[in-house]
Amino acid sequence: MRKRVVRTACRMCHGVCQVLVHLEGDRVVKVTGDPESVTSRGYICAKGRAAPELLYHPDRVLYPLRRAGRRGENRWERISWDEALDELAARLAAVRDESGPEYVGLVQGTGRPYENLFNRFANAFGTPNYTAPAHLCYLPRIMVNFFSMGFPLLPICDVYGLGGEMPACVVVWGCNITETGAADGMCGHMLRRAIEGAKRVIVVDPRRTGPAGKADHWLQIRPGTDGALALAMLNVIVAEDLIDHSFVRDYTTGFDELAEHVRGFTPEWAEGITRVAAEEIRAAARAYATIKPACIQWGNAVDQSMCNFQTSRALLILRAVTGNLDRPGADFFPPQVPGARHKTPFVDIAFSGMQFLPPEKRAVKVGGFDYPIMVTVQSPAFWRSIATGEPYRMRAVWIMGSNPLVTSTHSLEIEEALRKLEFVAVSDMFLTPTAQYADLFLPASTWLEYDEIHTSGGHTFSLLARRKVARVGDTLDDQEVIIRVANRLGLKEAFPWRSHRELSEWVLEGTGMSFEEFLERGILVGEPRYRKYEDPGFFLTPSGKFEIYCKTLEGMGVSPLPVYREPPLSPFSAPDLAREYPLILTSGAKVQPFFHGEFRMIPSLRERNPDPLVEIHPRTAAELGIEDGDWVWVETPENRVKMRARLFDGIAPDVVSAQHAWWFPEEGPPEYGWKKSSVNLLFGDTAYDPDTGSESLRSALCRVHKAV
Ligand SMILES: Nc1nc2c(c(=O)[nH]1)N[C@H]1C(S)=C(S)[C@@H](COP(=O)(O)OP(=O)(O)OC[C@H]3O[C@@H](n4cnc5c(=O)[nH]c(N)nc54)[C@H](O)[C@@H]3O)O[C@H]1N2
Ligand SMILES: Nc1nc2c(c(=O)[nH]1)N[C@H]1C(S)=C(S)[C@@H](COP(=O)(O)OP(=O)(O)OC[C@H]3O[C@@H](n4cnc5c(=O)[nH]c(N)nc54)[C@H](O)[C@@H]3O)O[C@H]1N2
Ligand code: SF4
Ligand SMILES: [Mo]
């Protein structure tokens, strides 16, 4: 049989690893890392290696399905793509014509390749009711850049050495990609190399992660208090005059206000909140400010708090006042590929199509919960409006690449909402607990089954080619589906293309290269340039500078300087509850074999983590009569779920860390056991971050007892 190897880019997670797909005839037999890749240098994780198991999985849905029985009966009728897309377009059009476009809701999960096109579809169709995990993942960090610097490009760690220097000091803050694989366009292996070569390593994490165990400074923070730590580090840096004077003078505004503002946020103040000793905070702040260049790899833990936007602002300001922005080996703004129309919704407004939705429409979301910083509808508000009909009940929802019954909080309310909807369409690869509510199921192609331009949302310096290497059944890639539905709905202005391929040609138009040539080449890299802030007009803020004090925010009723807020359910903010629920629960630290709720059905991955785990300190476990491997109840006032105890002395005795998004495909439809162990059943109504609507998933109160 003919053997060949195709170079492509993995997308078992957010994906930035270039990989080699090994084929025998038409069959994919193996996936390995690409040693020549500048983004991943040969790395591949367990998920990447398991890609053939995904591609050929017997439970994958390979043809469009229409529900044939009652919801939950799992009876389906196979239909053609034309029938499926005609029906979807007709149902959406009917709701739009009878009730208005806002009666159609769109739901996406984490950032996946179709994200920007789905945004564009919402805007062109005219619905503001678009929800995503954005309020607790990534978007708050992007918005911080937008308000502080006027553009939404994130600074990323220069772990590539593109400018001839590697970071001397690496800070890993609420992020664990060296163990999970990759996130947000950064490969964990690249970070690991940087950590190994750095003079000083600082890790901020309540758990002793791999890097924390070896770090010079492991700040074992109380969950949910990162904002206080960041403010205290600013306090030290300002008080000890460790700032980069020329950068602050020439390129920022509002430093004096900041200096005044952080005076009270001493390390002693923060010690009482974060439990990190004041002297440790001082030592870490001094190291970060003086051992240059320094970078901060920030992660999702920062996002899932009561002050994600504020904490991220403090972390961005830390970089700015120490001059660790856009310099070799520090955090830099990735160069964009010249001429390419990037798919980042915020960078390329033309692509996401914001202009198709008039501003007054954008504001008319389901209402009730509106957060000044967010552009999407907060997910609890979205689902509640359907469950209650307040302020109105959407009639149809199209869910693309999300399993909100296990990945979102208020899970039982989401179930009620799904029951009440007139029409549900789900695009996925598998029938999930959520997909069991679908009237129409659109089977998505895996990343091995279509050609595309991989952009990592623009937060990397490259465009990677993803190549079609196989085809199983009659699936379609989501971007093709969105374009075909948009074409059927007559959304010509926003969707001038007739196919995904035409769209790809359009993205590359300015590069002078055809899509085919790009696929051949495999990667396009922007020219690395540093200190771009020296170019006039670089900062697109009203002052033309990096705004430490942000008047625009002030005008919106948001604090113009970063502040700290205590989690709503903590031993300090809810002492009465803490007597009954004495443990601090942090949830959803990612693990290598799974991607949120995905891959529980993939044998080689499930083997590595067969059961839902909750980490508990051995001393606490002993007090509770719990042994390693025991099944336990994790309980909050909202609900309880069953998990398996994993004893771990790298966590504080009063903190437990639970995995998220568990369901059990092997238990079969319609529920697949999702109500047993999904940690999101434990989260209900609490106070939300007033800026972004974020939920405190990294800091709640719970109790744990042995399940008998
Ligand atoms: N308690 C707690 N909850 C959390 C988190 C936490 O830390 N703690 N993390 C949150 C975060 S950061 C996020 S981003 C969300 C993620 O939330 P989701 O995105 O909803 O999570 P997934 O389970 O990865 O994805 C859902 C579905 O997408 C399907 N899918 C995968 N790839 C594709 C594709 O290319 N096309 C289509 N159509 N479908 C596809 C999968 O089969 C899966 O069923 O979860 C959030 N939930
Ligand atoms: N294998 C795998 N990779 C993934 C994903 C996946 O599900 N699986 N999901 C993808 C997605 S959508 C995202 S958003 C990223 C997230 O990836 P990361 O940004 O790495 O975030 P997490 O893994 O959620 O959490 C990182 C660390 O935060 C710590 N932590 C918990 N609570 C706190 C706290 O209050 N403060 C601090 N400082 N740290 C805390 C946890 O112990 C954990 O080690 O990963 C992406 N990549
Ligand atoms: S880290 Fe992500 S992109 Fe890299 S090999 Fe693993 S799954 Fe693929
Ligand atoms: Mo995420």
Side-chain angles (χ1 to χ4, degrees), residues 93-131:
V95 172
R96 179 188 59 191
D97 299 343
E98 291 161 17
S99 308
E102 66 274 26
Y103 283 76
V104 170
L106 298 169
V107 182
Q108 72 157 84
T110 184
R112 291 198 168 89
Y114 49 80
E115 169 176 54
N116 304 303
L117 216 53
F118 210 39
N119 293 167
R120 189 180 185 88
F121 180 81
N123 291 327
F125 186 81
T127 180
N129 290 323
Y130 192 103
T131 193

mmCIF file of all heavy atoms in Angstrom, residues 93-131:
data_model
loop_
_atom_site.group_PDB
_atom_site.id
_atom_site.type_symbol
_atom_site.label_atom_id
_atom_site.label_comp_id
_atom_site.label_asym_id
_atom_site.label_seq_id
_atom_site.Cartn_x
_atom_site.Cartn_y
_atom_site.Cartn_z
ATOM 1 N N ALA A 93 -35.298 31.556 8.762
ATOM 2 C CA ALA A 93 -35.976 32.644 8.034
ATOM 3 C C ALA A 93 -37.396 32.841 8.564
ATOM 4 O O ALA A 93 -37.868 33.978 8.714
ATOM 5 C CB ALA A 93 -36.001 32.339 6.535
ATOM 6 N N ALA A 94 -38.062 31.749 8.873
ATOM 7 C CA ALA A 94 -39.449 31.869 9.355
ATOM 8 C C ALA A 94 -39.487 32.613 10.684
ATOM 9 O O ALA A 94 -40.311 33.512 10.887
ATOM 10 C CB ALA A 94 -40.065 30.469 9.500
ATOM 11 N N VAL A 95 -38.576 32.269 11.577
ATOM 12 C CA VAL A 95 -38.546 32.959 12.876
ATOM 13 C C VAL A 95 -38.231 34.444 12.664
ATOM 14 O O VAL A 95 -38.857 35.325 13.251
ATOM 15 C CB VAL A 95 -37.512 32.307 13.828
ATOM 16 C CG1 VAL A 95 -37.328 33.129 15.087
ATOM 17 C CG2 VAL A 95 -37.934 30.876 14.177
ATOM 18 N N ARG A 96 -37.259 34.701 11.799
ATOM 19 C CA ARG A 96 -36.884 36.096 11.532
ATOM 20 C C ARG A 96 -38.089 36.873 10.996
ATOM 21 O O ARG A 96 -38.385 37.975 11.446
ATOM 22 C CB ARG A 96 -35.735 36.132 10.508
ATOM 23 C CG ARG A 96 -35.286 37.540 10.137
ATOM 24 C CD ARG A 96 -34.302 37.516 8.979
ATOM 25 N NE ARG A 96 -34.893 36.884 7.786
ATOM 26 C CZ ARG A 96 -34.202 36.541 6.702
ATOM 27 N NH1 ARG A 96 -32.895 36.744 6.664
ATOM 28 N NH2 ARG A 96 -34.801 35.989 5.660
ATOM 29 N N ASP A 97 -38.798 36.280 10.041
ATOM 30 C CA ASP A 97 -39.897 37.009 9.409
ATOM 31 C C ASP A 97 -41.092 37.164 10.341
ATOM 32 O O ASP A 97 -41.760 38.188 10.342
ATOM 33 C CB ASP A 97 -40.307 36.322 8.102
ATOM 34 C CG ASP A 97 -39.137 36.299 7.115
ATOM 35 O OD1 ASP A 97 -38.174 37.074 7.326
ATOM 36 O OD2 ASP A 97 -39.170 35.494 6.156
ATOM 37 N N GLU A 98 -41.351 36.151 11.137
ATOM 38 C CA GLU A 98 -42.522 36.220 12.024
ATOM 39 C C GLU A 98 -42.262 37.027 13.291
ATOM 40 O O GLU A 98 -43.113 37.779 13.753
ATOM 41 C CB GLU A 98 -42.945 34.800 12.450
ATOM 42 C CG GLU A 98 -43.531 33.977 11.317
ATOM 43 C CD GLU A 98 -43.511 32.477 11.619
ATOM 44 O OE1 GLU A 98 -43.360 32.097 12.802
ATOM 45 O OE2 GLU A 98 -43.621 31.691 10.668
ATOM 46 N N SER A 99 -41.069 36.845 13.884
ATOM 47 C CA SER A 99 -40.828 37.440 15.209
ATOM 48 C C SER A 99 -39.687 38.444 15.237
ATOM 49 O O SER A 99 -39.622 39.277 16.138
ATOM 50 C CB SER A 99 -40.494 36.332 16.228
ATOM 51 O OG SER A 99 -41.462 35.322 16.210
ATOM 52 N N GLY A 100 -38.775 38.355 14.317
ATOM 53 C CA GLY A 100 -37.591 39.233 14.315
ATOM 54 C C GLY A 100 -36.337 38.398 14.486
ATOM 55 O O GLY A 100 -36.384 37.320 15.089
ATOM 56 N N PRO A 101 -35.206 38.903 13.951
ATOM 57 C CA PRO A 101 -33.972 38.093 13.974
ATOM 58 C C PRO A 101 -33.473 37.793 15.384
ATOM 59 O O PRO A 101 -32.810 36.783 15.605
ATOM 60 C CB PRO A 101 -32.959 38.962 13.215
ATOM 61 C CG PRO A 101 -33.534 40.339 13.188
ATOM 62 C CD PRO A 101 -35.018 40.184 13.259
ATOM 63 N N GLU A 102 -33.824 38.645 16.358
ATOM 64 C CA GLU A 102 -33.323 38.399 17.727
ATOM 65 C C GLU A 102 -33.965 37.170 18.365
ATOM 66 O O GLU A 102 -33.541 36.726 19.424
ATOM 67 C CB GLU A 102 -33.520 39.643 18.603
ATOM 68 C CG GLU A 102 -34.950 40.051 18.896
ATOM 69 C CD GLU A 102 -35.559 40.951 17.809
ATOM 70 O OE1 GLU A 102 -35.130 40.880 16.642
ATOM 71 O OE2 GLU A 102 -36.492 41.711 18.136
ATOM 72 N N TYR A 103 -34.989 36.613 17.721
ATOM 73 C CA TYR A 103 -35.594 35.385 18.245
ATOM 74 C C TYR A 103 -34.812 34.132 17.836
ATOM 75 O O TYR A 103 -35.187 33.021 18.173
ATOM 76 C CB TYR A 103 -37.073 35.293 17.845
ATOM 77 C CG TYR A 103 -37.925 36.209 18.703
ATOM 78 C CD1 TYR A 103 -37.938 37.580 18.503
ATOM 79 C CD2 TYR A 103 -38.669 35.690 19.767
ATOM 80 C CE1 TYR A 103 -38.665 38.436 19.318
ATOM 81 C CE2 TYR A 103 -39.406 36.530 20.589
ATOM 82 C CZ TYR A 103 -39.402 37.901 20.368
ATOM 83 O OH TYR A 103 -40.120 38.719 21.200
ATOM 84 N N VAL A 104 -33.727 34.368 17.089
ATOM 85 C CA VAL A 104 -32.792 33.273 16.798
ATOM 86 C C VAL A 104 -31.537 33.492 17.639
ATOM 87 O O VAL A 104 -30.952 34.572 17.623
ATOM 88 C CB VAL A 104 -32.412 33.250 15.299
ATOM 89 C CG1 VAL A 104 -31.257 32.278 15.049
ATOM 90 C CG2 VAL A 104 -33.618 32.874 14.445
ATOM 91 N N GLY A 105 -31.143 32.487 18.391
ATOM 92 C CA GLY A 105 -29.926 32.579 19.200
ATOM 93 C C GLY A 105 -28.830 31.709 18.616
ATOM 94 O O GLY A 105 -29.107 30.675 18.008
ATOM 95 N N LEU A 106 -27.587 32.159 18.765
ATOM 96 C CA LEU A 106 -26.453 31.370 18.280
ATOM 97 C C LEU A 106 -25.514 31.097 19.444
ATOM 98 O O LEU A 106 -25.275 31.968 20.279
ATOM 99 C CB LEU A 106 -25.728 32.125 17.163
ATOM 100 C CG LEU A 106 -26.588 32.403 15.925
ATOM 101 C CD1 LEU A 106 -25.890 33.372 14.986
ATOM 102 C CD2 LEU A 106 -26.919 31.121 15.177
ATOM 103 N N VAL A 107 -25.019 29.862 19.488
ATOM 104 C CA VAL A 107 -24.200 29.421 20.614
ATOM 105 C C VAL A 107 -22.912 28.811 20.081
ATOM 106 O O VAL A 107 -22.959 27.905 19.252
ATOM 107 C CB VAL A 107 -24.938 28.339 21.434
ATOM 108 C CG1 VAL A 107 -24.106 27.906 22.638
ATOM 109 C CG2 VAL A 107 -26.323 28.818 21.873
ATOM 110 N N GLN A 108 -21.788 29.303 20.551
ATOM 111 C CA GLN A 108 -20.531 28.632 20.219
ATOM 112 C C GLN A 108 -19.832 28.248 21.515
ATOM 113 O O GLN A 108 -20.128 28.786 22.578
ATOM 114 C CB GLN A 108 -19.616 29.516 19.376
ATOM 115 C CG GLN A 108 -18.991 30.676 20.150
ATOM 116 C CD GLN A 108 -17.709 31.211 19.527
ATOM 117 O OE1 GLN A 108 -17.770 32.032 18.627
ATOM 118 N NE2 GLN A 108 -16.559 30.765 20.025
ATOM 119 N N GLY A 109 -18.891 27.308 21.430
ATOM 120 C CA GLY A 109 -18.095 26.953 22.597
ATOM 121 C C GLY A 109 -16.797 27.720 22.559
ATOM 122 O O GLY A 109 -16.773 28.912 22.242
ATOM 123 N N THR A 110 -15.703 27.034 22.842
ATOM 124 C CA THR A 110 -14.413 27.707 22.822
ATOM 125 C C THR A 110 -14.056 28.123 21.396
ATOM 126 O O THR A 110 -14.735 27.733 20.434
ATOM 127 C CB THR A 110 -13.316 26.767 23.383
ATOM 128 O OG1 THR A 110 -12.083 27.501 23.428
ATOM 129 C CG2 THR A 110 -13.115 25.540 22.508
ATOM 130 N N GLY A 111 -13.013 28.917 21.249
ATOM 131 C CA GLY A 111 -12.602 29.368 19.922
ATOM 132 C C GLY A 111 -12.262 28.186 19.033
ATOM 133 O O GLY A 111 -11.383 27.401 19.343
ATOM 134 N N ARG A 112 -13.001 28.063 17.962
ATOM 135 C CA ARG A 112 -12.712 27.020 16.981
ATOM 136 C C ARG A 112 -12.647 27.679 15.610
ATOM 137 O O ARG A 112 -13.016 28.839 15.464
ATOM 138 C CB ARG A 112 -13.782 25.918 17.044
ATOM 139 C CG ARG A 112 -13.703 25.115 18.335
ATOM 140 C CD ARG A 112 -14.420 23.771 18.247
ATOM 141 N NE ARG A 112 -14.076 22.962 19.390
ATOM 142 C CZ ARG A 112 -14.740 22.968 20.560
ATOM 143 N NH1 ARG A 112 -15.803 23.722 20.719
ATOM 144 N NH2 ARG A 112 -14.328 22.231 21.559
ATOM 145 N N PRO A 113 -12.222 26.942 14.579
ATOM 146 C CA PRO A 113 -11.909 27.614 13.311
ATOM 147 C C PRO A 113 -13.053 28.441 12.716
ATOM 148 O O PRO A 113 -12.812 29.404 11.995
ATOM 149 C CB PRO A 113 -11.557 26.445 12.385
ATOM 150 C CG PRO A 113 -11.070 25.364 13.286
ATOM 151 C CD PRO A 113 -11.863 25.518 14.551
ATOM 152 N N TYR A 114 -14.288 28.082 13.005
ATOM 153 C CA TYR A 114 -15.418 28.772 12.371
ATOM 154 C C TYR A 114 -15.886 29.988 13.147
ATOM 155 O O TYR A 114 -16.829 30.660 12.745
ATOM 156 C CB TYR A 114 -16.602 27.802 12.269
ATOM 157 C CG TYR A 114 -16.870 27.107 13.582
ATOM 158 C CD1 TYR A 114 -17.567 27.744 14.598
ATOM 159 C CD2 TYR A 114 -16.354 25.848 13.830
ATOM 160 C CE1 TYR A 114 -17.744 27.140 15.822
ATOM 161 C CE2 TYR A 114 -16.531 25.232 15.055
ATOM 162 C CZ TYR A 114 -17.229 25.887 16.048
ATOM 163 O OH TYR A 114 -17.385 25.300 17.257
ATOM 164 N N GLU A 115 -15.236 30.266 14.265
ATOM 165 C CA GLU A 115 -15.742 31.273 15.196
ATOM 166 C C GLU A 115 -16.066 32.613 14.508
ATOM 167 O O GLU A 115 -17.141 33.171 14.670
ATOM 168 C CB GLU A 115 -14.708 31.473 16.291
ATOM 169 C CG GLU A 115 -14.940 32.648 17.185
ATOM 170 C CD GLU A 115 -13.893 32.687 18.294
ATOM 171 O OE1 GLU A 115 -12.682 32.671 18.003
ATOM 172 O OE2 GLU A 115 -14.307 32.711 19.447
ATOM 173 N N ASN A 116 -15.115 33.097 13.731
ATOM 174 C CA ASN A 116 -15.326 34.438 13.159
ATOM 175 C C ASN A 116 -16.424 34.449 12.117
ATOM 176 O O ASN A 116 -17.161 35.419 11.977
ATOM 177 C CB ASN A 116 -14.023 34.963 12.592
ATOM 178 C CG ASN A 116 -12.969 34.951 13.662
ATOM 179 O OD1 ASN A 116 -13.156 35.561 14.712
ATOM 180 N ND2 ASN A 116 -11.915 34.201 13.447
ATOM 181 N N LEU A 117 -16.525 33.350 11.408
ATOM 182 C CA LEU A 117 -17.572 33.286 10.397
ATOM 183 C C LEU A 117 -18.950 33.186 11.052
ATOM 184 O O LEU A 117 -19.940 33.715 10.550
ATOM 185 C CB LEU A 117 -17.320 32.063 9.503
ATOM 186 C CG LEU A 117 -17.655 32.238 8.034
ATOM 187 C CD1 LEU A 117 -16.974 33.461 7.451
ATOM 188 C CD2 LEU A 117 -17.241 30.999 7.251
ATOM 189 N N PHE A 118 -19.000 32.531 12.193
ATOM 190 C CA PHE A 118 -20.266 32.410 12.927
ATOM 191 C C PHE A 118 -20.651 33.792 13.496
ATOM 192 O O PHE A 118 -21.820 34.177 13.477
ATOM 193 C CB PHE A 118 -20.105 31.366 14.038
ATOM 194 C CG PHE A 118 -21.377 30.623 14.403
ATOM 195 C CD1 PHE A 118 -22.293 30.232 13.442
ATOM 196 C CD2 PHE A 118 -21.634 30.279 15.730
ATOM 197 C CE1 PHE A 118 -23.458 29.528 13.794
ATOM 198 C CE2 PHE A 118 -22.786 29.581 16.098
ATOM 199 C CZ PHE A 118 -23.696 29.213 15.122
ATOM 200 N N ASN A 119 -19.650 34.538 13.986
ATOM 201 C CA ASN A 119 -19.899 35.932 14.414
ATOM 202 C C ASN A 119 -20.479 36.727 13.254
ATOM 203 O O ASN A 119 -21.443 37.477 13.389
ATOM 204 C CB ASN A 119 -18.601 36.675 14.773
ATOM 205 C CG ASN A 119 -17.890 36.146 16.005
ATOM 206 O OD1 ASN A 119 -16.745 36.495 16.236
ATOM 207 N ND2 ASN A 119 -18.534 35.309 16.789
ATOM 208 N N ARG A 120 -19.850 36.556 12.125
ATOM 209 C CA ARG A 120 -20.271 37.300 10.945
ATOM 210 C C ARG A 120 -21.707 36.941 10.552
ATOM 211 O O ARG A 120 -22.508 37.797 10.191
ATOM 212 C CB ARG A 120 -19.312 36.963 9.796
ATOM 213 C CG ARG A 120 -19.486 37.809 8.551
ATOM 214 C CD ARG A 120 -18.467 37.348 7.499
ATOM 215 N NE ARG A 120 -18.501 38.182 6.315
ATOM 216 C CZ ARG A 120 -17.793 39.280 6.154
ATOM 217 N NH1 ARG A 120 -16.989 39.712 7.099
ATOM 218 N NH2 ARG A 120 -17.883 39.990 5.048
ATOM 219 N N PHE A 121 -21.997 35.652 10.670
ATOM 220 C CA PHE A 121 -23.346 35.196 10.354
ATOM 221 C C PHE A 121 -24.362 35.874 11.279
ATOM 222 O O PHE A 121 -25.404 36.362 10.836
ATOM 223 C CB PHE A 121 -23.428 33.665 10.488
ATOM 224 C CG PHE A 121 -24.781 33.111 10.179
ATOM 225 C CD1 PHE A 121 -25.182 32.904 8.871
ATOM 226 C CD2 PHE A 121 -25.681 32.829 11.207
ATOM 227 C CE1 PHE A 121 -26.449 32.411 8.581
ATOM 228 C CE2 PHE A 121 -26.956 32.345 10.925
ATOM 229 C CZ PHE A 121 -27.329 32.131 9.604
ATOM 230 N N ALA A 122 -24.047 35.924 12.574
ATOM 231 C CA ALA A 122 -24.961 36.554 13.535
ATOM 232 C C ALA A 122 -25.203 38.004 13.147
ATOM 233 O O ALA A 122 -26.339 38.492 13.132
ATOM 234 C CB ALA A 122 -24.365 36.490 14.944
ATOM 235 N N ASN A 123 -24.124 38.685 12.821
ATOM 236 C CA ASN A 123 -24.246 40.097 12.484
ATOM 237 C C ASN A 123 -25.040 40.310 11.196
ATOM 238 O O ASN A 123 -25.868 41.207 11.108
ATOM 239 C CB ASN A 123 -22.855 40.714 12.359
ATOM 240 C CG ASN A 123 -22.166 40.785 13.702
ATOM 241 O OD1 ASN A 123 -22.819 40.971 14.729
ATOM 242 N ND2 ASN A 123 -20.867 40.616 13.722
ATOM 243 N N ALA A 124 -24.787 39.473 10.218
ATOM 244 C CA ALA A 124 -25.492 39.637 8.949
ATOM 245 C C ALA A 124 -26.967 39.250 9.090
ATOM 246 O O ALA A 124 -27.851 39.883 8.517
ATOM 247 C CB ALA A 124 -24.824 38.777 7.872
ATOM 248 N N PHE A 125 -27.223 38.239 9.860
ATOM 249 C CA PHE A 125 -28.606 37.793 10.075
ATOM 250 C C PHE A 125 -29.364 38.827 10.907
ATOM 251 O O PHE A 125 -30.576 39.002 10.758
ATOM 252 C CB PHE A 125 -28.597 36.431 10.777
ATOM 253 C CG PHE A 125 -29.948 35.806 10.928
ATOM 254 C CD1 PHE A 125 -30.530 35.121 9.872
ATOM 255 C CD2 PHE A 125 -30.651 35.899 12.124
ATOM 256 C CE1 PHE A 125 -31.790 34.545 9.998
ATOM 257 C CE2 PHE A 125 -31.905 35.330 12.267
ATOM 258 C CZ PHE A 125 -32.487 34.642 11.199
ATOM 259 N N GLY A 126 -28.613 39.494 11.795
ATOM 260 C CA GLY A 126 -29.213 40.572 12.578
ATOM 261 C C GLY A 126 -29.564 40.209 14.004
ATOM 262 O O GLY A 126 -30.331 40.900 14.655
ATOM 263 N N THR A 127 -28.995 39.111 14.503
ATOM 264 C CA THR A 127 -29.310 38.799 15.902
ATOM 265 C C THR A 127 -28.160 39.188 16.842
ATOM 266 O O THR A 127 -27.012 38.825 16.594
ATOM 267 C CB THR A 127 -29.658 37.314 16.124
ATOM 268 O OG1 THR A 127 -29.936 37.144 17.521
ATOM 269 C CG2 THR A 127 -28.545 36.360 15.717
ATOM 270 N N PRO A 128 -28.494 39.909 17.908
ATOM 271 C CA PRO A 128 -27.474 40.201 18.922
ATOM 272 C C PRO A 128 -27.350 39.074 19.939
ATOM 273 O O PRO A 128 -26.481 39.115 20.800
ATOM 274 C CB PRO A 128 -28.010 41.466 19.589
ATOM 275 C CG PRO A 128 -29.498 41.366 19.434
ATOM 276 C CD PRO A 128 -29.791 40.546 18.196
ATOM 277 N N ASN A 129 -28.212 38.065 19.838
ATOM 278 C CA ASN A 129 -28.225 37.007 20.849
ATOM 279 C C ASN A 129 -27.255 35.893 20.494
ATOM 280 O O ASN A 129 -27.618 34.841 19.962
ATOM 281 C CB ASN A 129 -29.644 36.491 21.061
ATOM 282 C CG ASN A 129 -30.474 37.538 21.761
ATOM 283 O OD1 ASN A 129 -29.963 38.244 22.631
ATOM 284 N ND2 ASN A 129 -31.729 37.676 21.371
ATOM 285 N N TYR A 130 -26.013 36.184 20.823
ATOM 286 C CA TYR A 130 -24.887 35.305 20.516
ATOM 287 C C TYR A 130 -24.194 35.018 21.828
ATOM 288 O O TYR A 130 -23.816 35.927 22.554
ATOM 289 C CB TYR A 130 -23.934 36.061 19.586
ATOM 290 C CG TYR A 130 -22.875 35.195 18.961
ATOM 291 C CD1 TYR A 130 -22.991 34.780 17.637
ATOM 292 C CD2 TYR A 130 -21.747 34.807 19.671
ATOM 293 C CE1 TYR A 130 -22.018 33.986 17.049
ATOM 294 C CE2 TYR A 130 -20.773 34.008 19.088
ATOM 295 C CZ TYR A 130 -20.912 33.601 17.774
ATOM 296 O OH TYR A 130 -19.949 32.811 17.190
ATOM 297 N N THR A 131 -24.067 33.751 22.182
ATOM 298 C CA THR A 131 -23.388 33.464 23.446
ATOM 299 C C THR A 131 -22.222 32.509 23.243
ATOM 300 O O THR A 131 -22.167 31.765 22.256
ATOM 301 C CB THR A 131 -24.363 32.948 24.523
ATOM 302 O OG1 THR A 131 -23.696 32.971 25.799
ATOM 303 C CG2 THR A 131 -24.816 31.521 24.261
#
